[in-house]
Amino acid sequence: MTVNPKQRYRFSDAPIWDLQRQYYEEEGLRAWNNDQVPQYITSNPMIGTAYAEMIFGFLQDRANKGYGTEPVMIVELGAGAGRLAYHVLHELCRLRDYAGIALPPFRYVMTDLAMNNVRAWKKHPALQAFIAEGILDFSRFDAIHDTSLHLEMSDVMIRQGDLQQPLVIVANYFFDSIPQELLYIGDGQVYEADVYVEYPEHHDSLKPSELLDQIVLSYEHRRAPEYEQETYPYRDVIAVYKEQLEDSHIVFPVAGLNCLERLNKLSQHGFLLVTADKGDHLLDSWKFAEPPLLTLHGSFSLTANYHAIQYVFEQRGAAALFPPHHYKNINVGCVLHVEQPMDYPQTRLAYRRFIERYGPDEFFSMKVWVDRNLESMGLEHILSFWRLGGYDAEFFIQSTKRISSLIADANDEEKQDLLTGIQRMWSSYYVMEQRYDLALDAGLVLFEMSMYEESKRFLEISILEEQDEVVSTVYYCLAICCFELALVQEASHYLRELLVLDPGHEEAMALLSMVQA
């Protein structure tokens, strides 16, 4: 039931954007708990590897052009939970060390609007090695207003013209979540689509996520000749829409374009933008488009207008790379806004190999299929997909039950590959707010394969990290591991711990009696 009259706003000034901002500032990293705000699609090891390959190619291109001494700054906008930054840095360092070639030094800067997120990143255990090496820093950054970056760890201020290398900008699920203008093209005219907001009863008592779920939006067109004036900076792309579209609503990314232009001024040599979103770069995708619907996930998101971003910067001499085909779930683009962008072959080849031929969108489509068919997959298929996804922890967690059911029939090579995969997965695991007991799952799978030494290591990690929630099964498996490894005293210790939790555990009492005898 609504009791408040409708209020009319320009779309970019509507209160939904303040609610969006408030949601992220209040929730901090909790916003990504249990995928309330989706993160897997843009933050898994596979997309992290693709980004690292493009950035590595860009570092090669800069070195090959003779710019190998000044550092390259990589700024991630809206770094959120921090998982993407971790996977990109993890793989970028592996590429650097594996190649062993001369490259410019680099520094990755995670930014977000919410200062609580910045504080949490600074303490995250998975990021400490990068901080110590001096290749990771943090900054609070308001994409709507800020013109400089203050780096928290090094206490350095980056202002206009300070950077001697092009800036690398990483923007995942960013352009779809910041204020947009909403235009309507009809009868050869440009209109703004103003929004009416109708509030629910008692809206003052609702949380931002609750209010976003209950407000009602409706639209009314208003002639907007200012978009066609020669002084309007994006007049050319508006002219394209006016000429080629009809009865179409266009989400226009003025705030996103302004943000890129402000970041561009930090460097004397342009930028490389690497971005992924549910966003359309093909003009046909905007034909006869209906008014936007808010995709709700605690906060909300829209469809990003990559066509406008591509068009604007191509007009200024940039090379924009987007897939030639239609995307299904996530569109990944690369904009080389630098002098002579075609002279960056390693960057462009990396995009071709890791995005255009087979990239994060294709991988996620396969992941959806695998999720539906996991119970019919064999171990060889699970292992293959796990490798393809970069030994992702989330896939392992959802697959452990199926893996356990297949271990009895696994051959030695498959068991060894499982062990190798678990070790690779653990070495690149980024703990999120919703903590999985990954060590327990890994330890139990290894126990079922009779790999007692490796199982003991992971089960002991589980006990250390989950001291208040240890289950009796863990102590029993640890006792068996210790028996198999001839560690009798440790076996006795774990049996006694088990009997504290479960005094009637008959197998534990029998084993302990045998040890004491």
Side-chain angles (χ1 to χ4, degrees):
M1 175 180 176
T2 56
V3 296
N4 296 288
K6 295 181 181 180
Q7 297 185 46
R8 181 172 180 165
Y9 302 89
R10 188 180 187 185
F11 189 69
S12 59
D13 295 331
I16 56 174
W17 303 109
D18 289 334
L19 291 170
Q20 177 98 308
R21 187 184 188 105
Q22 184 182 350
Y23 172 81
Y24 282 111
E25 289 183 327
E26 290 180 0
E27 292 296 317
L29 295 190
R30 293 191 305 272
W32 289 270
N33 280 11
N34 301 312
D35 271 352
Q36 180 178 208
V37 176
Q39 55 81 28
Y40 179 83
I41 189 171
T42 58
S43 302
N44 59 72
M46 197 273 184
I47 194 171
T49 295
Y51 278 27
E53 291 281 358
M54 284 188 284
I55 294 170
F56 185 72
F58 185 76
L59 296 175
Q60 288 179 280
D61 285 328
R62 292 302 293 174
N64 292 339
K65 292 170 76 68
Y67 303 107
T69 55
E70 291 292 333
V72 172
M73 182 172 292
I74 307 158
V75 173
E76 183 181 349
L77 303 176
R83 190 178 178 208
L84 175 68
Y86 172 76
H87 286 307
V88 172
L89 268 177
H90 178 78
E91 187 62 26
L92 187 57
C93 289
R94 290 184 65 201
L95 288 169
R96 174 198 64 188
D97 298 342
Y98 183 84
I101 58 178
L103 296 170
F106 57 85
R107 176 181 290 175
Y108 199 106
V109 181
M110 298 168 64
T111 76
D112 209 300
L113 176 66
M115 193 62 196
N116 285 339
N117 290 357
V118 177
R119 296 189 187 99
W121 299 333
K122 290 164 73 172
K123 297 184 293 185
H124 198 290
L127 301 177
Q128 298 310 304
F130 300 132
I131 295 172
E133 191 180 342
I135 60 173
L136 177 62
D137 216 319
F138 313 98
S139 179
R140 182 189 181 276
F141 182 72
D142 185 335
I144 306 302
H145 303 294
D146 286 348
T147 58
S148 60
L149 288 167
H150 176 252
L151 308 188
E152 292 281 328
M153 304 306 297
S154 54
D155 193 24
V156 171
M157 182 68 77
I158 307 296
R159 296 185 175 88
Q160 182 173 335
D162 282 351
L163 301 180
Q164 302 301 310
Q165 294 268 31
L167 177 66
V168 177
I169 303 169
V170 175
N172 270 21
Y173 269 32
F174 172 76
F175 293 109
D176 70 343
S177 302
I178 60 173
Q180 320 274 328
E181 306 300 341
L182 181 58
L183 307 181
Y184 173 75
I185 309 297
D187 301 322
Q189 303 293 328
V190 180
Y191 300 82
E192 280 213 60
D194 291 340
V195 60
Y196 285 95
V197 179
E198 192 171 357
Y199 294 95
E201 187 177 6
H202 307 305
H203 66 273
D204 291 337
S205 63
L206 298 178
K207 295 179 180 179
S209 59
E210 296 170 333
L211 187 51
L212 285 169
D213 188 44
Q214 296 182 42
I215 59 176
V216 177
L217 305 182
S218 56
Y219 300 93
E220 186 171 303
H221 303 152
R222 167 177 53 83
R223 275 283 288 121
E226 62 270 23
Y227 287 95
E228 302 174 69
Q229 295 176 1
E230 291 188 7
T231 55
Y232 185 67
Y234 310 118
R235 178 177 177 270
D236 288 349
V237 68
I238 298 296
V240 171
Y241 296 156
K242 182 180 174 182
E243 179 182 343
Q244 300 193 32
L245 299 181
E246 177 63 32
D247 191 21
S248 304
H249 291 83
I250 307 295
V251 175
F252 197 69
V254 174
L257 289 165
N258 288 343
C259 177
L260 292 175
E261 291 180 355
R262 280 183 278 111
L263 289 171
N264 182 52
K265 291 178 180 178
L266 298 180
S267 170
Q268 302 178 26
H269 303 283
F271 64 76
L272 165 69
L273 170 65
V274 181
T275 180
D277 225 315
K278 50 186 180 66
D280 290 316
H281 67 283
L282 300 172
L283 184 60
D284 283 353
S285 300
W286 294 99
K287 290 182 176 179
F288 305 107
E290 297 291 329
L293 296 175
L294 304 187
T295 301
L296 297 173
H297 33 64
S299 58
F300 73 90
S301 59
L302 303 169
T303 298
N305 186 347
Y306 275 147
H307 175 270
I309 294 172
Q310 176 179 3
Y311 187 93
V312 166
F313 285 102
E314 281 185 336
Q315 290 291 100
R316 300 177 185 182
L321 307 176
F322 282 90
H325 51 268
H326 295 85
Y327 77 100
K328 176 65 176 177
N329 298 287
I330 184 171
N331 197 4
V332 182
C334 172
V335 177
L336 274 160
H337 183 53
V338 291
E339 185 179 355
Q340 297 178 323
M342 300 307 289
D343 288 348
Y344 285 75
Q346 298 304 325
T347 309
R348 294 187 295 107
L349 283 169
Y351 182 88
R352 183 177 184 273
R353 289 192 298 265
F354 294 94
I355 305 297
E356 185 178 317
R357 291 186 68 247
Y358 180 90
D361 187 42
E362 287 76 17
F363 172 76
F364 189 77
S365 294
M366 286 188 63
K367 173 71 164 54
V368 172
W369 183 91
V370 167
D371 290 346
R372 292 196 299 261
N373 294 275
L374 183 60
E375 292 307 310
S376 63
M377 291 174 65
L379 191 55
E380 62 178 308
H381 308 121
I382 292 173
L383 285 169
S384 295
F385 187 77
W386 194 26
R387 280 192 292 270
L388 180 65
Y391 295 102
D392 177 51
E394 289 192 30
F395 178 67
F396 177 78
I397 289 165
Q398 76 179 80
S399 305
T400 50
K401 183 179 179 181
R402 178 61 180 167
I403 290 171
S404 295
S405 72
L406 298 169
I407 284 176
D409 297 323
N411 58 44
D412 290 342
E413 290 80 6
E414 289 171 330
K415 291 179 180 179
Q416 185 60 44
D417 286 347
L418 260 175
L419 171 61
T420 300
I422 288 171
Q423 292 168 335
R424 289 279 300 274
M425 171 187 69
W426 188 256
S427 71
S428 61
Y429 179 47
Y430 185 84
V431 177
M432 304 261 302
E433 283 284 306
Q434 77 277 21
R435 293 188 57 158
Y436 303 110
D437 194 351
L438 180 64
L440 174 60
D441 285 344
L444 293 177
V445 167
L446 292 166
F447 181 83
E448 292 176 19
M449 295 193 295
S450 301
M451 296 182 176
Y452 297 114
E453 185 173 356
E454 294 84 0
S455 176
K456 178 175 181 289
R457 175 197 167 204
F458 282 100
L459 293 176
E460 287 176 337
I461 292 172
S462 174
I463 289 177
L464 185 64
E465 294 184 346
E466 308 291 338
Q467 294 182 19
D468 298 330
E469 300 180 13
V470 180
V471 295
S472 58
T473 303
V474 178
Y475 286 127
Y476 186 73
C477 291
L478 273 169
I480 299 298
C481 289
C482 291
F483 273 123
E484 295 290 343
L485 298 170
L487 302 172
V488 179
Q489 289 185 339
E490 286 190 59
S492 300
H493 165 73
Y494 286 125
L495 289 171
R496 293 190 181 94
E497 292 288 341
L498 189 161
L499 290 170
V500 170
L501 288 178
D502 185 1
H505 198 293
E506 295 182 0
E507 292 90 343
M509 289 188 287
L511 283 172
L512 189 58
S513 297
M514 185 178 68
V515 171
Q516 292 172 340

